[in-house]
C-alpha cells in the first residue's frame, strides 16, 4: 500500500513511476539528450556575447562582428529546435505514461469487490482516475525533465564561470547558499501544502458529484440553502489550501529576486574595478558574468517552481498507487468454464458478514432444483439480497460453500459464472446511451433483430417503438428520460436476451405501475419456464405460484414450502406477512 511520506522527495515512489516509461525508453533517452543540448547551447550565448564585446566592439572590428553575430544566430536556431523537440517529446512521454496508468487503474477498479465501492466515495475515485492522473503527466512535461535540464545548465555554467574567473565565480557563490537554503525550505513546505490541496480537491469533487446526483432529494426536502452553506465551507477549505501555496510563493520569489539583484551589484562593482585596472577580467567577462549569474539563479528559481509541479505530480501518483495497491479484488482463480447450466443451486452452511464479527447470514443451507422458481421473502435486512450477491460472487463468503450444478462457484471463472446468471434489480441503472446498447451492453453476439424478437415475446416492443427513434432512443444519464416502470422493463429485457441459466429478480416489481407489473408478470411466466429462477419480493401476491418459498429472518431460514403449505402453519411468519398484506388490500 502506498503510504504518505513526510520526506521532501520520495525516491521509491519516483522510481516506481519512472518504471512506466520503460516501454518508451528511447523517447526518454532522447528527451534527456535534448536537455543536455539545451544546457550546452545555453552557455554558448554568454560566451559569444563576451567574444563580441572583447574582440569586435572594443577593437572596432566590423568584419569579425558579423562572423560572431552569425554564430549567435546559428546557436539560437539550434537552441530553438532543441527546445521544441524537448517540450514536444517530454509532453508526449507524459501523455503515454498516463494513458497506460489510467488504463491499468480502471482495469484494476473493474475487478474490485462490491464491498470496496460500498465504502469508497465515488467522487474520490473519479478524482484519482481523472484529475490525479492528469497531474502526473506534468511530472514529465513540466517537472522532471525541466529540472534535469536546469541542473545540467547550472553545472555547465558553473564550470565555464570558474574557467573564466574564479574570483567572480566565488563572489556569485557567496549568495548561492541563501538561495539553496530557501529553496530547500520551500520544497518541504510546498509538499505539505500540495497534499492538503489534493485532499480538498477530492472532498470538493465528492461533494459536488453526490449533490448533483442526488439533486432530486436536495430539492424535494428543500435542502438547497443547507447544501449551499456546506458547499461554501468546503470551498473555503479548498481556497485556504491554495492560499497556503500562494503564501510560500510570495515569500520565496522575492528573496530569490533580491539575491539575484545583489549578485549583479557585486559583479559590476568587483568586475568593473578589475576591468578598469586592466586586470585579466575584461568588460566582456563582466557582461558575460552578469548574464551567466542570471542564468544560474533563474534555473534555481525555476527548479523551485518546477519542483512544485513535481511535488503535485508525486502527491497525485501516491494517491493513484494507493488505489492500485488496494487488494480488494475478487480472486478469479477458478479454472472451470461452465458451458451449459442446468440450474441446481446449493448453499451449504454459508456464513457471511459485511463487517467482521457482525454476521448477516448465519449458516444458511438451501437447495434449488433445476427449473424451479424459488421465492425468498422476509423483512428488510433479513439477508435476501445478500444471497443473490453471494451467488454472483460480488462478495466472498466467510465459510461454507455455494455450488451450481454440484460445482463450487469458487472453482468457476468469474466471467463464466456471471454469464449464466441474469439479475434484474429494483434500482435499475441505465447508461447515457441508446435503449439498444443498454439492453445488449454492446455485446456483438446479440443482434438488434434478437432484441426486437425478445421484446415482442415479452410484450414491450410497442412501448419501445413509441419512443422517438425507437431502439436507438438515447435515455440520457441513468435513464432519466424514462419512467421507473419503463426502466424496469428495459432491465428485464436486458436479462431476457442473454438467455441465462439462472434468473434472479430482486424486488423487480416493487416500484412499478400495475400495467408494467402485468407485463413483467407475463414475461416472468415465460422466461422462468424450464429455467431456475430466484425471486425476491415484498409483495407476496407476485410469488404465489413459486415452486418453493423460503422465509428469512435476521440471517436465518425460518420457514420453507410452497404458498399453500406455508399458509397452513399456525402463527407462521409467512402467514402473518400474507395476512398483513391482504388486510392492507
Amino acid at each position: 500500500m502506498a503510504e504518505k511520506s513526510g520526506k521532501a522527495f520520495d525516491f521509491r515512489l519516483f522510481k516506481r513511476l519512472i518504471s512506466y516509461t520503460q516501454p518508451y525508453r528511447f523517447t526518454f533517452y532522447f528527451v534527456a539528450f535534448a536537455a543536455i543540448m539545451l544546457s550546452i547551447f545555453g552557455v554558448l550565448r554568454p560566451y559569444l556575447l563576451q567574444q563580441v564585446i572583447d574582440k569586435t566592439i572594443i577593437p572596432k572590428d566590423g568584419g569579425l562582428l558579423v562572423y560572431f553575430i552569425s554564430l549567435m544566430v546559428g546557436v539560437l536556431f539550434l537552441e530553438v529546435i532543441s527546445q521544441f523537440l524537448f517540450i514536444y517529446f517530454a509532453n508526449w512521454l507524459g501523455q503515454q505514461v498516463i494513458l497506460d496508468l489510467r488504463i491499468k487503474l480502471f482495469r484494476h477498479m473493474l475487478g474490485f469487490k462490491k464491498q470496496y465501492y460500498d465504502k469508497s466515495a465515488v467522487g474520490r475515485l473519479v478524482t484519482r482516475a481523472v484529475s490525479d492522473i492528469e497531474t502526473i503527466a506534468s511530472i514529465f512535461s513540466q517537472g522532471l525533465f525541466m529540472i534535469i535540464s536546469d541542473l545540467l545548465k547550472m553545472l555547465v555554467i558553473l564550470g565555464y564561470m570558474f574557467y573564466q574567473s574564479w574570483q567572480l565565480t566565488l563572489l556569485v557563490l557567496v549568495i548561492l547558499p541563501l538561495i539553496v537554503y530557501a529553496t530547500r525550505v520551500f520544497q518541504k513546505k510546498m509538499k505539505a501544502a500540495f497534499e492538503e490541496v489534493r485532499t480538498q480537491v477530492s472532498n470538493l469533487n465528492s461533494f459536488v458529484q453526490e449533490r448533483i446526483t442526488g439533486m432530486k432529494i436536495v430539492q424535494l426536502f428543500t435542502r438547497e440553502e443547507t447544501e449551499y452553506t456546506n458547499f461554501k465551507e468546503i470551498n473555503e477549505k479548498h481556497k485556504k489550501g491554495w492560499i497556503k501555496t500562494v503564501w510560500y510563493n510570495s515569500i520565496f520569489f522575492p528573496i530569490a529576486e533580491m539575491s539575484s539583484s545583489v549578485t549583479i551589484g557585486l559583479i559590476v562593482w568587483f568586475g568593473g574595478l578589475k576591468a578598469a585596472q586592466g586586470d585579466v577580467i575584461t568588460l566582456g567577462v563582466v557582461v558575460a558574468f552578469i548574464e551567466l549569474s542570471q542564468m544560474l539563479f533563474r534555473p534555481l528559481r525555476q527548479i523551485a517552481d518546477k519542483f512544485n509541479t513535481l511535488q503535485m505530480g508525486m502527491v497525485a501518483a501516491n494517491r493513484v498507487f494507493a488505489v492500485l495497491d488496494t487488494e480488494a479484488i475478487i480472486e478469479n482463480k477458478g479454472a472451470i468454464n461452465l458451458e451449459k447450466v442446468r440450474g441446481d443451486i446449493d448453499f451449504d452452511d454459508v456464513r457471511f458478514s459485511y463487517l467482521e464479527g457482525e454476521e448477516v447470514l448465519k449458516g444458511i443451507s438451501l437447495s434449488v432444483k433445476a427449473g424451479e422458481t424459488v421465492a425468498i421473502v422476509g423483512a428488510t435486512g433479513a439477508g435476501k439480497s445478500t444471497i443473490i450477491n453471494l451467488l454472483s460472487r460480488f462478495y466472498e463468503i466467510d465459510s461454507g460453500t455455494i455450488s451450481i450444478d454440484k460445482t463450487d462457484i469458487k472453482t468457476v471463472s468469474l466471467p463464466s459464472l456471471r454469464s449464466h446468471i441474469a439479475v434484474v434489480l429494483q434500482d435499475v441503472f441505465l447508461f447515457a446511451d441508446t435503449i439498444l446498447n443498454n439492453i445488449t451492453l454492446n455485446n456483438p453476439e446479440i443482434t438488434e433483430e434478437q432484441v426486437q424478437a425478445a421484446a415482442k415475446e415479452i410484450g414491450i416492443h410497442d412501448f419501445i417503438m413509441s419512443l422517438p427513434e425507437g431502439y436507438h432512443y438515447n435515455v440520457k444519464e441513468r435513464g432519466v428520460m424514462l419512467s421507473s416502470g419503463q426502466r424496469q422493463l428495459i432491465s428485464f429485457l436486458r436479462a431476457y436476451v442473454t438467455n441465462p441459466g439462472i434468473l434472479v429478480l430482486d424486488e423487480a416489481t416493487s416500484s412499478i405501475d400495475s400495467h408494467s407489473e402485468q407485463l413483467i408478470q407475463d414475461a416472468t411466466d415465460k422466461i422462468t419456464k424450464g429455467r431456475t429462477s430466484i425471486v425476491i419480493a415484498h409483495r407476496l401476491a407476485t410469488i404465489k405460484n413459486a415452486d418453493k418459498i423460503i422465509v428469512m429472518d435476521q440471517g436465518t431460514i425460518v420457514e420453507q414450502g410452497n404458498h399453500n403449505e406455508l399458509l397452513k402453519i399456525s402463527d407462521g411468519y409467512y402467514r402473518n406477512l400474507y395476512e398483513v398484506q391482504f388486510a392492507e388490500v
Side-chain angles (χ1 to χ4, degrees):
M1 186 86 175
E3 297 177 356
K4 184 176 178 179
S5 172
K7 296 181 289 186
F9 192 80
D10 191 334
F11 282 99
R12 186 170 58 177
L13 178 65
F14 180 71
K15 183 179 179 181
R16 181 177 180 183
L17 185 60
I18 288 297
S19 68
Y20 284 86
T21 66
Q22 186 62 25
Y24 317 103
R25 56 186 178 277
F26 294 114
T27 302
F28 184 90
Y29 296 146
F30 178 78
V31 174
F33 174 75
I36 294 172
M37 295 308 297
L38 281 174
S39 65
I40 294 173
F41 292 136
V43 81
L44 279 176
R45 283 189 289 108
Y47 167 75
L48 290 174
L49 180 61
Q50 174 191 334
Q51 299 303 311
V52 166
I53 293 172
D54 289 340
K55 294 185 178 179
T56 67
I57 295 179
I58 294 177
K60 299 180 180 179
D61 188 339
L64 197 57
L65 175 63
V66 173
Y67 170 74
F68 278 113
I69 293 298
S70 300
L71 283 179
M72 291 180 72
V73 170
V75 168
L76 182 61
F77 176 76
L78 291 174
E79 188 174 9
V80 168
I81 294 297
S82 297
Q83 189 79 23
F84 164 75
L85 294 173
F86 174 79
I87 293 173
Y88 177 81
F89 283 105
N91 280 273
W92 183 90
L93 182 62
Q95 290 301 318
Q96 288 295 329
V97 167
I98 67 170
L99 172 70
D100 296 344
L101 195 55
R102 186 178 279 130
I103 290 173
K104 183 177 181 179
L105 178 66
F106 188 71
R107 179 65 181 170
H108 190 64
M109 290 167 62
L110 285 174
F112 280 154
K113 301 175 185 176
K114 193 170 179 293
Q115 198 164 6
Y116 177 84
Y117 292 105
D118 293 340
K119 299 177 181 178
S120 302
V122 174
R124 284 189 174 86
L125 292 176
V126 171
T127 300
R128 301 295 174 264
V130 181
S131 60
D132 276 343
I133 286 190
E134 199 63 44
T135 303
I136 292 173
S138 63
I139 290 178
F140 300 94
S141 60
Q142 303 173 41
L144 171 65
F145 291 114
M146 289 292 188
I147 291 175
I148 292 174
S149 177
D150 288 343
L151 286 173
L152 284 172
K153 190 177 293 185
M154 290 172 64
L155 288 173
V156 173
I157 288 170
L158 277 173
Y160 178 72
M161 289 171 71
F162 269 111
Y163 172 76
Q164 285 294 323
S165 172
W166 64 269
Q167 294 169 304
L168 285 177
T169 304
L170 291 178
L171 202 63
V172 171
L173 292 180
V174 167
I175 305 298
L176 196 61
L178 175 62
I179 298 293
V180 172
Y181 175 75
T183 302
R184 181 65 177 169
V185 173
F186 182 66
Q187 290 169 356
K188 289 184 177 180
K189 294 294 184 182
M190 289 302 285
K191 176 180 171 60
F194 279 132
E195 284 179 343
E196 183 177 343
V197 166
R198 297 312 301 170
T199 298
Q200 296 306 327
V201 167
S202 293
N203 292 339
L204 190 62
N205 284 349
S206 182
F207 182 89
V208 171
Q209 181 162 355
E210 286 182 354
R211 269 56 184 185
I212 290 176
T213 303
M215 188 58 70
K216 184 177 180 180
I217 299 298
V218 172
Q219 295 178 346
L220 189 63
F221 288 90
T222 64
R223 299 284 297 174
E224 292 94 337
E225 288 301 319
T226 301
E227 297 302 339
Y228 175 68
T229 301
N230 292 338
F231 177 77
K232 286 201 299 184
E233 291 177 0
I234 292 175
N235 210 24
E236 180 67 22
K237 292 179 181 178
H238 179 258
K239 183 203 73 175
K240 287 180 178 178
W242 276 109
I243 289 295
K244 190 176 290 186
T245 68
V246 173
W247 168 252
Y248 294 139
N249 277 298
S250 64
I251 293 175
F252 173 76
F253 287 102
I255 291 175
E257 286 296 329
M258 180 189 68
S259 303
S260 178
S261 299
V262 170
T263 302
I264 292 174
L266 291 173
I267 291 172
V268 171
W269 168 70
F270 185 80
L273 286 177
K274 292 293 184 180
Q277 294 170 3
D279 199 271
V280 291
I281 298 177
T282 64
L283 182 60
V285 171
V286 173
V287 174
F289 260 76
I290 291 174
E291 185 171 353
L292 287 167
S293 67
Q294 296 307 294
M295 292 177 65
L296 183 66
F297 288 154
R298 191 183 306 120
L300 194 57
R301 293 197 298 272
Q302 289 176 348
I303 284 175
D305 192 31
K306 298 300 183 291
F307 201 89
N308 296 346
T309 302
L310 184 61
Q311 288 289 28
M312 285 195 73
M314 293 293 284
V315 169
N318 191 55
R319 293 174 182 274
V320 170
F321 286 139
V323 178
L324 283 172
D325 292 341
T326 300
E327 296 180 1
I329 62 173
I330 296 289
E331 291 188 357
N332 186 20
K333 295 182 178 179
I336 298 175
N337 288 314
L338 300 175
E339 297 297 332
K340 187 173 178 59
V341 168
R342 295 191 308 276
D344 290 318
I345 302 173
D346 292 288
F347 279 64
D348 183 15
D349 194 24
V350 173
R351 295 182 178 273
F352 172 75
S353 54
Y354 292 103
L355 299 175
E356 189 174 351
E358 299 180 17
E359 280 191 338
V360 176
L361 296 185
K362 305 170 183 177
I364 292 291
S365 293
L366 63 89
S367 294
V368 180
K369 295 180 181 178
E372 277 190 336
T373 296
V374 175
I376 304 177
V377 300
T380 300
K384 307 184 300 296
S385 295
T386 300
I387 285 181
I388 64 170
N389 282 330
L390 296 181
L391 183 63
S392 299
R393 283 197 73 197
F394 287 125
Y395 301 88
E396 295 283 21
I397 60 177
D398 298 337
S399 63
T401 57
I402 302 173
S403 303
I404 293 179
D405 294 345
K406 307 304 179 183
T407 302
D408 189 337
I409 62 173
K410 285 188 176 181
T411 65
V412 179
S413 73
L414 282 176
S416 176
L417 172 68
R418 292 173 181 171
S419 68
H420 292 286
I421 303 173
V423 182
V424 179
L425 300 171
Q426 177 184 2
D427 183 19
V428 179
F429 187 94
L430 297 181
F431 296 96
D433 205 338
T434 63
I435 287 179
L436 179 63
N437 288 339
N438 268 291
I439 293 169
T440 65
L441 296 178
N442 296 301
N443 185 345
E445 296 181 2
I446 303 176
T447 66
E448 183 172 351
E449 290 73 22
Q450 289 175 308
V451 172
Q452 291 190 20
K456 290 175 183 177
E457 288 179 18
I458 65 174
I460 69 171
H461 175 72
D462 292 339
F463 139 64
I464 296 176
M465 293 305 296
S466 69
L467 298 171
E469 300 179 82
Y471 287 86
H472 298 278
Y473 178 62
N474 193 310
V475 300
K476 306 301 180 185
E477 187 174 359
R478 299 184 67 89
V480 294
M481 304 304 291
L482 302 177
S483 69
S484 60
Q486 290 171 332
R487 290 196 297 271
Q488 196 72 65
L489 290 169
I490 296 300
S491 71
F492 195 88
L493 182 56
R494 176 195 288 168
Y496 185 35
V497 296
T498 61
N499 192 27
I502 298 171
L503 175 68
V504 177
L505 302 178
D506 187 359
E507 303 186 31
T509 61
S510 63
S511 61
I512 58 179
D513 55 57
S514 57
H515 175 68
S516 297
E517 181 178 349
Q518 187 58 50
L519 287 175
I520 292 292
Q521 277 301 134
D522 294 343
T524 300
D525 293 340
K526 185 175 185 64
I527 195 175
T528 56
K529 187 175 182 180
R531 177 181 284 112
T532 303
S533 303
I534 298 176
V535 181
I536 296 175
H538 282 304
R539 298 162 71 175
L540 305 186
T542 63
I543 58 168
K544 286 182 180 179
N545 298 325
D547 297 310
K548 183 191 296 183
I549 298 173
I550 295 173
V551 186
M552 295 189 65
D553 183 38
Q554 297 182 8
T556 60
I557 296 175
V558 292
E559 294 173 2
Q560 291 189 59
N562 62 36
H563 175 72
N564 292 326
E565 291 171 346
L566 293 176
L567 285 181
K568 293 177 182 178
I569 300 176
S570 178
D571 198 30
Y573 193 102
Y574 180 82
R575 179 174 176 174
N576 289 335
L577 281 177
Y578 185 78
E579 288 176 349
V580 167
Q581 289 193 13
F582 183 77
E584 288 177 352
V585 175

